[in-house]
Amino acid sequence: MVYKFRVILDAEDDVFRDIAILEDDTLEDLHNAIFNSFGFDGMEVASFYTCDETWNQEDEISLFDTGDIPGEQKVMSDYQLSDILDKQNTKIIYVYDFINMWTFLVELAAIEDQVLGNLYPETIFSHGEMPDEAMEKNFESDNADDYNDEFEDGLDEDDLDMFEGDDSFEDYGFEENWN
């Protein structure tokens, strides 16, 4: 079967690509198809994120294993598209280049029979021009002010003056560890 995705850039203007790819291809194959269809060079790190029906981000699936224990973290090449996407689970988020944070909403739009002679993956429709810069992201929580209020200690920079000239702290000799 062929999965047909609409990949929408999170931007002010409408920029999207429709991509057809085989259901047994991996998330890494989809990653390659996305960065190629949007004109990126593929030299940056990327991740997919599972999400719910309202695009709330859940689990990360990265391009490379970045875990503390090698092999513990699953990566894009470990997942066939059909492992995580189907008629009920149609949405996934893709982030390319963690410096610029190009963010894409990827939705499974159709599952169709493979057309003999077609090469997959393929970009079957392209709309809009890529902007020069990614849209700025705001990662502040809706209740960030509540969090700050809860942990307000009432101290400011002047309060730290109480430690000046205090030699009562023990020197653990950390400088010698840097030689």
Side-chain angles (χ1 to χ4, degrees):
M1 299 301 288
V2 173
Y3 279 13
K4 290 188 175 180
F5 289 98
R6 172 142 298 168
V7 182
I8 304 167
L9 174 64
D10 185 15
E12 289 183 21
D13 295 327
D14 289 340
V15 180
F16 62 89
R17 308 290 185 261
D18 291 346
I19 296 172
I21 188 169
L22 298 174
E23 71 177 328
D24 57 354
D25 281 342
T26 65
L27 280 176
E28 185 175 12
D29 296 323
L30 181 58
H31 152 76
N32 292 332
I34 292 171
F35 80 70
N36 283 324
S37 70
F38 282 92
F40 294 117
D41 61 11
M43 300 303 292
E44 302 298 331
V45 177
S47 285
F48 283 100
Y49 296 88
T50 59
C51 61
D52 63 18
E53 281 300 307
T54 57
W55 299 102
N56 292 312
Q57 180 177 315
E58 294 172 344
D59 299 324
E60 179 181 15
I61 304 169
S62 62
L63 183 58
F64 303 108
D65 186 347
T66 57
D68 293 334
I69 301 170
E72 182 179 60
Q73 180 180 5
K74 289 214 170 195
V75 295
M76 290 182 198
S77 61
D78 293 334
Y79 289 95
Q80 287 186 333
L81 296 175
S82 58
D83 291 340
I84 58 171
L85 296 162
D86 54 36
K87 290 181 180 179
Q88 286 74 40
N89 300 305
T90 61
K91 297 177 179 178
I92 195 164
I93 299 168
Y94 174 73
V95 177
Y96 177 82
D97 182 357
F98 288 104
I99 301 293
N100 293 302
M101 297 297 290
W102 293 99
T103 304
F104 300 85
L105 306 176
V106 181
E107 186 164 16
L108 179 60
I111 301 173
E112 300 177 354
D113 290 327
Q114 184 174 348
V115 176
L116 292 175
N118 281 9
L119 296 176
Y120 298 99
E122 71 172 325
T123 302
I124 53 178
F125 185 75
S126 178
H127 175 81
E129 296 293 322
M130 286 293 294
D132 293 333
E133 295 180 357
M135 199 164 109
E136 188 172 322
K137 303 289 182 269
N138 182 6
F139 291 103
E140 185 173 298
S141 172
D142 290 340
N143 60 355
D145 291 333
D146 296 340
Y147 176 81
N148 287 336
D149 291 343
E150 181 181 342
F151 294 101
E152 184 62 45
D153 60 8
L155 298 175
D156 59 20
E157 290 294 322
D158 294 332
D159 293 320
L160 297 177
D161 290 342
M162 68 180 153
F163 296 112
E164 280 187 29
D166 186 358
D167 295 331
S168 66
F169 294 103
E170 188 172 336
D171 182 5
Y172 290 103
F174 289 116
E175 294 84 21
E176 65 194 35
N177 294 331
W178 294 99
N179 294 331

